């Protein structure tokens, strides 16, 4: 099912025209209403009229998270403050939070793109959506909430946490769609298994998982253990919230609602746009954002895009699964390592739950990488040589993936910090001063 | 002839071993024998207890990973060469020993040895043919 066939399956040339028209309008609006943009555009000597083709977007300066932070709290608004009817903020885990303001129009757009995402994830009227994304300043909960209203599904706004209650609701209400972080979904699967509940005994058919990075292997695991179609949702508070992009059941990349969010991929070093299929940092421009236009936002998320039509019929630009963040990229002894690579390695080992934590230290002059992995009943043996072989196996699997020797430490189950919001996967204890 | 042993994964962290033991003592489970195998990073606690089922339940409730495995428990004369005699029986028949640990009982003059063998059936056969005293679960309860 497709929520808005006219837009989602639009002819590419026609869409480019639409995008260009919207881009010209938003650049003008930003320049005229937000001093930050006026200063920045003047600095490089660019005017709204200079945007004659979509490619001209590359002439515009980037907006970074730091810029948004500096504008805290309301410096990025392009409308009088009383036009703003809702405010969200980013988590602020990496510093002062960034503020996102929404006008009535913005909320309408947000509902619309989330409705598309839910429809892509098999959700429709009559579905019961258990929304375990946090409600509050975090955009996850409310974005899905608005989208669910739009498609006419039945939303259960349970929010994050309270696992016992989640399981109870899942059983009693027979929820059909689960929305949460993939790591929390995995935790719920563990708890269900502990209770002796099989996938066929619960009513879930799909999951809309996002807000953190995950892998294909994790998808297999979630689909098998919960008996669902597990789909990836993408979004970020700075440009809107969830629903910027979502996978359809073809699982061939996430469909970006590119009539509202214009994607570019830039080279990590040169910052120049790269061609389709090439990896780089995702940059997003909001084409329709009313209250707070965002021009060329550096997401720090690493992915690639394609403009090819999907088997499902949609022509929306597709982005591949996020494989890393340019800022959580670890450099260990000069080798670039992403936490997702460790996860991929762990999922290759039978009986292992991909609950892990990476600890980086530099005891002398060399980086040391320790990977803490929760052991499981299937792995545990009363014989030491078998346990040591398991640690060795894990170390080898990681070595194959990243090319580095690591120390593997088995820890007790459920002792690593669980993410009801976001997983703490990396602890970097190195000091770089 | 076989006995059940419980093994528990213990992270090498302050208080972890105590947590396990405390969980058992709260449920009045008596530890008959124990051994710990450890590396710098983790340990395996092996236990012979008065009530296997309950012990397993209690430990799992406390989030420990528990595994039950089969061992044989043999009485060994508490004198020089006592253990060696038993081991020779096994060695002569090429039966591999994974590990063993011993304890003494207040109710008998013999030492008691818990053995985990690669092939437990063969082991029992050999020890029986040599008239070694293999203890039953009932015997363990009465130690």
């Amino acid at each position: 099912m497709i929520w808005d066939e006219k837009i989602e399956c639009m002819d590419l040339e026609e869409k480019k025209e639409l995008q260009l028209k919207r881009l010209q309008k938003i650049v003008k609006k930003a320049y005229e209403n937000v001093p930050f943009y006026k200063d920045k555009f003047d600095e490089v000597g660019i005017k709204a009229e200079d945007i004659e083709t979509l490619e001209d977007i590359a002439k515009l300066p980037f907006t970074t998270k730091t810029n948004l932070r500096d504008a805290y709290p309301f410096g990025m608004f392009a409308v009088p403050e009383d036009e703003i009817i809702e405010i969200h903020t980013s988590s602020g885990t990496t510093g002062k939070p960034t503020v996102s303001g929404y006008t009535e129009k913005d909320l309408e757009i947000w509902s619309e793109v989330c409705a598309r995402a839910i429809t892509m994830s098999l959700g429709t009227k009559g579905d019961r959506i258990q929304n375990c994304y946090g409600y509050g300043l975090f955009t996850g909960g409310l974005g899905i909430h608005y989208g669910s209203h739009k498609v006419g599904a039945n939303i259960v706004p349970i929010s994050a946490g309270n696992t016992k209650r989640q399981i109870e609701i899942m059983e009693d209400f027979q929820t059909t769609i689960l929305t949460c972080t993939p790591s929390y979904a995995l935790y719920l699967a563990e708890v269900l298994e502990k209770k002796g509940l099989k996938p066929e005994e619960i009513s879930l058919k799909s999951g809309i998982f996002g807000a953190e990075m995950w892998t294909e292997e994790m998808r297999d695991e979630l689909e098998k253990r919960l008996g669902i179609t597990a789909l990836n949702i993408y979004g970020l508070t700075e440009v809107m919230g969830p629903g910027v992009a979502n996978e359809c059941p073809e699982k061939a990349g996430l469909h970006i609602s590119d009539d509202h969010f214009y994607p570019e991929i830039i080279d990590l070093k040169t910052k120049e746009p790269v061609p389709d299929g090439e990896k780089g940092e995702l940059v997003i421009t909001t084409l329709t954002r009313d209250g707070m236009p965002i021009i060329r936002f550096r997401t720090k998320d690493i992915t690639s895009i394609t403009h090819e039509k999907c088997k499902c019929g949609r022509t929306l630009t597709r982005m591949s699964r996020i494989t890393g963040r340019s800022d959580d990229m670890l450099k260990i002894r000069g080798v670039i390592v992403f936490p997702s690579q460790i996860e991929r390695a762990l999922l290759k080992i039978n009986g292992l739950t991909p609950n892990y934590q990476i600890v980086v230290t530099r005891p002398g002059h060399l980086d040391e990488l320790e990977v803490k992995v929760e052991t499981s009943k299937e792995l545990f043996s009363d014989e030491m040589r078998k346990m040591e072989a398991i640690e060795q196996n894990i170390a080898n699997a990681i070595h194959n993936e990243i090319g580095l020797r690591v120390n593997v430490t088995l820890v007790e189950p459920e002792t690593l910090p669980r993410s009801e919001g976001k997983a703490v996967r990396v602890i970097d204890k190195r000091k770089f001063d | 002839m076989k006995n059940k042993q419980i093994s528990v994964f213990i992270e090498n962290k302050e208080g972890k071993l105590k947590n396990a033991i405390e969980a058992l003592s709260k449920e009045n489970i008596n530890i008959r024998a124990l051994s710990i195998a450890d590396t710098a990073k983790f340990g395996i606690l092996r236990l012979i207890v008065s009530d296997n089922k309950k012990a397993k339940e209690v430990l799992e409730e406390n989030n420990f990973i528990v595994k039950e495995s089969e061992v044989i428990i043999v009485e060994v004369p508490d004198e020089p060469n006592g253990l060696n005699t038993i081991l020779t029986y096994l060695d002569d028949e090429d039966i591999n020993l994974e590990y063993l640990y011993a304890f003494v009982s207040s109710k008998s003059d013999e030492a008691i040895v818990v053995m985990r063998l690669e092939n437990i059936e063969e082991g029992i056969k050999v020890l029986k043919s040599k008239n070694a005293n293999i203890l039953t679960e009932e015997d363990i309860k009465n130690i």
Side-chain angles (χ1 to χ4, degrees):
Chain A
M1 273 246 304
I2 296 173
W3 175 252
D4 184 348
E5 217 172 310
K6 192 171 158 272
I7 287 286
E8 290 177 70
C9 304
M10 191 180 244
D11 172 76
L12 274 186
E13 287 310 310
E14 206 181 322
K15 185 165 57 201
K16 276 190 180 166
E17 257 174 62
L18 175 75
Q19 286 174 324
L20 179 60
K21 232 166 59 197
R22 289 182 169 176
L23 178 66
Q24 289 164 332
K25 210 172 137 192
I26 200 90
V27 169
K28 189 160 184 282
K29 181 181 175 123
Y31 184 84
E32 285 170 2
N33 296 285
V34 185
F36 163 77
Y37 287 122
K38 185 180 183 304
D39 294 347
K40 264 213 141 170
F41 292 3
D42 285 346
E43 213 174 282
V44 293
I46 187 156
K47 297 213 159 38
E49 300 81 72
D50 297 335
I51 306 295
E52 291 172 337
T53 66
L54 276 176
E55 287 67 41
D56 288 338
I57 194 170
K59 295 179 184 163
L60 295 165
F62 295 112
T63 305
T64 63
K65 194 154 173 101
T66 312
N67 294 147
L68 300 187
R69 231 177 246 148
D70 292 344
Y72 181 88
F74 304 140
M76 296 300 284
F77 290 177
V79 295
E81 249 176 71
D82 61 0
E83 297 274 312
I84 299 288
I85 61 169
E86 187 164 321
I87 279 178
H88 287 273
T89 74
S90 66
S91 56
T93 40
T94 49
K96 212 159 177 65
T98 55
V99 174
S100 196
Y102 305 76
T103 64
E104 201 181 337
K105 257 194 220 159
D106 289 331
L107 288 186
E108 175 55 33
I109 293 166
W110 196 15
S111 312
E112 176 68 26
V113 294
C114 281
R116 291 181 196 170
I118 290 169
T119 310
M120 284 179 207
S121 312
L122 307 173
T124 182
K125 189 175 162 71
D127 271 306
R128 194 161 292 126
I129 302 179
Q130 182 162 347
N131 189 12
C132 331
Y133 287 117
Y135 278 68
L137 282 173
F138 176 56
T139 46
L142 280 164
I144 297 289
H145 191 89
Y146 297 144
S148 171
H149 280 178
K150 192 102 184 163
V151 300
N154 177 349
I155 188 98
V156 183
I158 185 162
S159 196
N162 201 346
T163 303
K164 213 178 138 211
R165 190 95 196 281
Q166 300 278 5
I167 300 284
E168 199 177 281
I169 295 271
M170 196 180 286
E171 275 192 87
D172 296 348
F173 291 8
Q174 301 186 354
T175 46
T176 56
I177 297 178
L178 177 69
T179 65
C180 59
T181 57
S183 59
Y184 189 59
L186 192 70
Y187 180 56
L188 286 174
E190 273 170 40
V191 179
L192 283 167
E193 279 158 21
K194 242 190 204 166
K195 272 194 82 182
L197 278 168
K198 296 205 171 61
E200 53 273 22
E201 290 170 280
I202 50 171
S203 312
L204 290 182
K205 67 172 178 188
S206 64
I208 307 177
F209 303 132
E212 67 188 18
M213 250 179 285
W214 52 308
T215 56
E216 281 306 312
E217 286 80 0
M218 182 109 163
R219 187 205 312 268
D220 292 344
E221 191 84 14
L222 286 167
E223 294 198 328
K224 196 173 71 202
R225 290 170 75 171
L226 289 169
I228 57 170
T229 302
L231 297 171
N232 199 349
I233 189 167
Y234 176 77
L236 57 174
T237 306
E238 290 82 1
V239 304
M240 187 62 96
V244 169
N246 202 95
E247 279 176 329
C248 71
E250 294 291 337
K251 299 168 192 165
L254 294 85
H255 296 281
I256 304 174
S257 276
D258 57 5
D259 52 325
H260 296 295
F261 311 106
Y262 186 80
E264 300 168 82
I265 303 290
I266 58 163
D267 185 273
L268 288 179
K269 278 207 195 88
T270 65
K271 314 281 182 261
E272 293 296 326
V274 301
D276 273 19
E278 225 166 90
K279 268 193 187 183
E281 183 181 330
L282 176 68
V283 171
I284 294 179
T285 300
T286 61
L287 293 177
T288 50
R289 188 81 183 269
D290 183 38
M292 204 177 106
I294 299 290
I295 309 293
R296 299 195 89 202
F297 182 68
R298 298 268 310 263
T299 66
K300 304 261 184 190
D301 289 321
I302 293 165
T303 181
S304 62
I305 56 173
T306 170
H307 289 83
E308 248 173 64
K309 184 173 169 175
C310 179
K311 280 195 192 127
C312 71
R314 290 180 182 86
T315 53
L316 298 175
T317 310
R318 276 176 291 152
M319 61 185 252
S320 62
R321 183 184 281 291
I322 305 284
T323 50
R325 281 183 59 77
S326 56
D327 58 0
D328 82 0
M329 177 176 91
L330 285 166
K331 253 191 151 175
I332 313 291
R333 282 172 244 156
V335 178
I336 288 173
V337 176
F338 288 109
S340 58
Q341 292 178 291
I342 308 273
E343 184 173 319
R344 199 172 313 138
L346 295 179
L347 279 158
K348 284 183 183 148
I349 294 164
N350 272 341
L352 202 68
T353 52
N355 287 312
Y356 64 95
Q357 191 169 53
I358 302 165
V359 184
V360 197
T361 52
R362 186 177 285 175
H365 295 290
L366 264 187
D367 298 333
E368 294 268 343
L369 192 60
E370 182 192 14
V371 180
K372 291 183 177 178
V373 185
E374 285 185 3
T375 182
S376 68
K377 213 173 157 124
E378 292 81 65
L379 280 185
F380 179 55
S381 165
D382 63 310
E383 291 169 42
M384 194 49 96
R385 66 186 167 92
K386 286 191 185 153
M387 290 300 281
E388 284 178 333
I390 287 163
E391 283 191 332
Q392 199 53 51
N393 272 346
I394 297 173
N396 288 345
I398 295 174
H399 180 246
N400 280 340
E401 194 69 47
I402 65 172
L404 286 175
R405 285 271 152 221
V406 302
N407 282 319
V408 172
T409 304
L410 291 170
V411 300
E412 283 171 20
E414 286 161 49
T415 50
L416 292 178
R418 275 302 191 287
S419 52
E420 312 220 306
K422 294 188 184 194
V424 186
R425 296 298 198 199
V426 181
I427 294 178
D428 197 338
K429 293 181 176 165
R430 291 176 294 181
K431 287 193 177 67
F432 293 107
D433 320 330
Chain B
M1 283 300 185
K2 288 179 221 164
N3 265 286
K4 291 264 192 280
Q5 168 197 262
I6 281 188
S7 327
V8 191
F9 179 83
I10 305 281
E11 211 178 306
N12 196 352
K13 229 180 186 178
E14 218 170 291
K16 287 284 178 185
L17 177 64
K18 186 173 181 297
N19 289 350
I21 303 290
E22 199 162 69
L24 293 173
S25 81
K26 270 191 190 145
E27 294 295 321
N28 277 323
I29 294 164
N30 206 345
I31 299 169
R32 302 290 179 192
L34 74 76
S35 99
I36 295 172
D38 66 321
T39 70
K41 291 188 269 186
F42 67 89
I44 304 169
L45 170 66
R46 303 169 184 137
L47 300 162
I48 305 289
V49 294
S50 55
D51 187 339
N52 273 309
K53 196 167 159 276
K54 203 163 152 197
K56 205 167 163 241
E57 267 172 30
V58 169
L59 289 167
E60 280 179 348
E61 270 167 32
N62 283 278
N63 276 330
F64 283 102
I65 292 189
V66 186
K67 193 158 198 162
E68 233 177 3
S69 38
E70 286 176 334
V71 292
I72 40 182
I73 303 182
V74 195
E75 271 193 331
V76 176
D78 193 4
E79 60 185 36
N81 209 34
L83 179 59
N84 190 33
T85 310
I86 297 284
L87 293 182
T88 306
Y89 294 154
L90 296 171
D91 200 39
D92 286 346
E93 299 296 324
D94 278 334
I95 294 169
N96 244 331
L97 181 69
E98 298 286 355
Y99 56 81
L100 66 74
Y101 51 102
F103 60 108
V104 286
S105 155
S106 55
K107 291 189 187 144
S108 124
D109 291 333
E110 318 271 277
I112 295 160
V113 175
V114 181
M115 292 192 288
R116 175 97 151 102
L117 303 176
E118 208 171 65
N119 187 336
I120 191 165
E121 309 292 344
E122 277 298 304
I124 291 175
K125 220 162 78 188
V126 169
L127 292 177
K128 257 176 149 176
S129 74
K130 299 289 182 187
N131 287 324
N133 188 14
I134 305 176
L135 301 183
T136 61
E137 279 188 40
E138 216 35 54
D139 294 335
I140 300 300
K141 278 193 186 129
N142 296 322
I143 287 172

